[in-house]
Structure formats: C-alpha cells, structure tokens
Amino acid sequence: MNQAERDRYSRQIRLEQFGEKGQQAILDASALIVGVGGLGSPAAMYLAAAGIGKLVLSDYDIVETSNLQRQIIHPDSAVGDDKVESGRHTVKALNPNCAVDVIPYQLEGEELRQVVDSVDIVLDCSDNFPTRFDLNRACVETRTALVAGAAIRLEGQIMNYQPAADSSCYQCLYPKAYGAEESCEMEGVLGPVVGVIGTLQAVQTLLILAGQGDELVNRLLLFDALSMQWQGVTLPKNPECPACGGRATA
Ligand SMILES: [Zn+2]
C-alpha cells in the first residue's frame, strides 16, 4: 500500500476491524455485481470508493428514464446507454484506481460459472428468480461468497452464502420460484429503500473481505421502511436444498 492509498482510505484503516491488513485485502479483491440497477448502484459505488481492486459489472439493460428515481449510479445524461457502461463511467469518476470489467449480456451456464469462479465475492443485485437461482448455484459449486439483496415497495431483505462457514444458501430460503413474480414495475418501490439494501450489501461485502461479517451466517435480515423495523430470521441449511443440499463440506 502506498502513501496515497493510506491517505485515501485512512478513515477505514483506522477501524480496528479493518486496519492496513483489511484494507489491503479490499485492494486485492474482486467482486462480480449482477444487476447495475437500484441495488447495484450503491453497492458498486461504495465498493469502488472503499478501494476494491476490481469490479465486474453485469447487466443487459439500457438506462431508462423510469430507472433514475432509484438507480443513482446513472445520471440523466446516460438514458439510452448500456447500464454497464454508465456504471463504469460513474465508478471510474469516483475512483480511477478501481478496475472495471463490463459484461453487457446475461451471464449463463459455463461462462457464468467461470466468471463467478474468477472473483472473490458475488453480489446478487438482480430482480428475478431465474438469475438468482443460477447465480446462487454457481456460487455454491465454486464455493464463492454471495451477498444477495432484494427490495420491493417499502420492504427489503439481505442474506448471504458463506462457503467458509458452510452456511445456508439462497435456495435454502427459496427452494423454487413461488407464485407470480412481483416486480418493482408492477408494485412500485421507494428509491432509498433499495439504496438501504444495496448499501448494506456493500457493508457486508467489505466485512467479509476483511475477514468479518459472520453475523449474517444462516440468517436472513428483513427491513420494513413503514414500521422502521429490522428483523433477523434464522435461516438454517436445508438438507433438501436443490442447490447446496448434501453438498455440506468439511
Ligand atoms: Zn441451500
């Protein structure tokens, strides 16, 4: 770590749980962010600002006017652009030292597995069950940490998969897609509520990279903005889980 980095990240290094060792781990780390929308915006921006070495941004959408209310990584001038390119532009403006790779299409199959295997941690910032299941499975198969967030209306949730702790995974929570999938387009969502969850994904990612973050092992955290309540729910490993069941490794 050079002096410029020591200055830039000094407030973080000062934290006893991080220190120079934790900061170096963040500088050396790479993260895949799937979905550069309401969750991915604050997650990518905070991780870049915190000094993460490399971000891989994956999204096949273009920026629309109706995104701007909550997807704060995209400025008004980016409407019509690829979300990943707009995201890269903002991240680079925040911290030019952060390397950014972009994947402007849906990651699937073996390629998804390879990209997941190539990074230290994955953030699920997507908005649909098929993507969430594929991503979770790739993380379980490659034993890559996953931080999954979701938000709709005035509610949000966050959970994670930590292979080092042999924790429960996303499909322990949702073995299969259930009912008609709800969407923010149909149900609506308050921008800062998505921001709270995406920001919390960045918090949890930084904690895990610095060797902390055990509090969310086997636990789902729910946020309700209307009642201003947080609720932690135990999320045990499901032996019947289609993704990690029977895969418990010593
Ligand atoms: Zn599972």
Side-chain angles (χ1 to χ4, degrees):
M1 197 181 313
N2 58 40
Q3 194 53 46
E5 288 169 331
R6 279 194 186 89
D7 289 343
R8 186 174 190 120
Y9 307 114
S10 59
R11 302 301 187 275
Q12 211 159 277
I13 292 169
R14 187 167 287 276
L15 295 167
E16 64 171 304
Q17 296 85 351
F18 284 76
E20 286 217 3
K21 188 159 166 271
Q23 185 61 46
Q24 192 59 54
I26 291 165
L27 288 166
D28 293 340
S30 57
L32 166 66
I33 299 182
V34 176
V36 188
L39 298 166
S41 288
M45 292 161 77
Y46 271 119
L47 290 181
I52 196 159
K54 183 168 112 174
L55 289 177
V56 183
L57 304 177
S58 170
D59 200 310
Y60 53 84
D61 268 338
I62 60 163
V63 180
E64 296 177 43
T65 308
S66 62
N67 299 150
L68 301 177
Q69 159 259 11
R70 65 196 178 284
Q71 302 184 15
I72 56 171
I73 202 170
H74 308 300
D76 186 79
S77 58
V79 170
D81 296 346
D82 283 346
K83 284 189 179 177
V84 289
E85 289 299 345
S86 168
R88 167 154 60 187
H89 193 263
T90 300
V91 161
K92 282 291 191 185
L94 279 171
N95 191 346
N97 305 314
C98 178
V100 184
D101 284 357
V102 298
I103 301 173
Y105 51 84
Q106 174 103 36
L107 274 174
E108 289 175 313
E110 185 53 29
E111 189 186 5
L112 169 65
R113 214 184 115 99
Q114 282 175 9
V115 174
V116 166
D117 202 20
S118 74
V119 295
D120 296 301
I121 193 163
V122 174
L123 286 81
D124 182 351
C125 298
S126 71
D127 61 358
N128 64 86
F129 276 120
T131 300
R132 290 179 178 284
F133 288 172
D134 283 354
L135 203 49
N136 178 69
R137 186 175 289 274
C139 287
V140 170
E141 286 177 1
T142 59
R143 296 184 58 76
T144 307
L146 169 72
V147 182
I152 195 163
R153 297 180 291 263
L154 294 161
E155 302 143 32
Q157 66 178 52
I158 179 173
M159 59 82 59
N160 68 186
Y161 162 67
Q162 292 195 38
D166 199 24
S167 77
S168 51
C169 79
Y170 186 76
Q171 281 202 268
C172 292
L173 175 61
Y174 297 113
K176 56 188 177 192
Y178 67 99
E181 195 158 15
E182 296 177 321
S183 71
C184 292
E185 188 180 345
M186 298 299 294
E187 299 287 321
V189 66
L190 196 65
V193 171
V194 200
V196 164
I197 301 298
T199 300
L200 206 53
Q201 286 180 269
V203 171
Q204 181 64 7
T205 298
L206 293 172
L207 286 170
I208 290 173
L209 291 175
Q212 314 276 334
D214 294 344
E215 290 301 320
L216 274 187
V217 168
N218 296 340
R219 196 155 153 258
L220 167 71
L221 192 58
L222 302 162
F223 175 56
D224 176 33
L226 203 56
S227 63
M228 280 289 162
Q229 297 287 325
W230 290 93
Q231 193 185 356
V233 180
T234 304
L235 175 58
K237 205 172 172 73
N238 174 8
E240 307 291 312
C241 173
C244 76
R247 277 178 202 276
T249 46

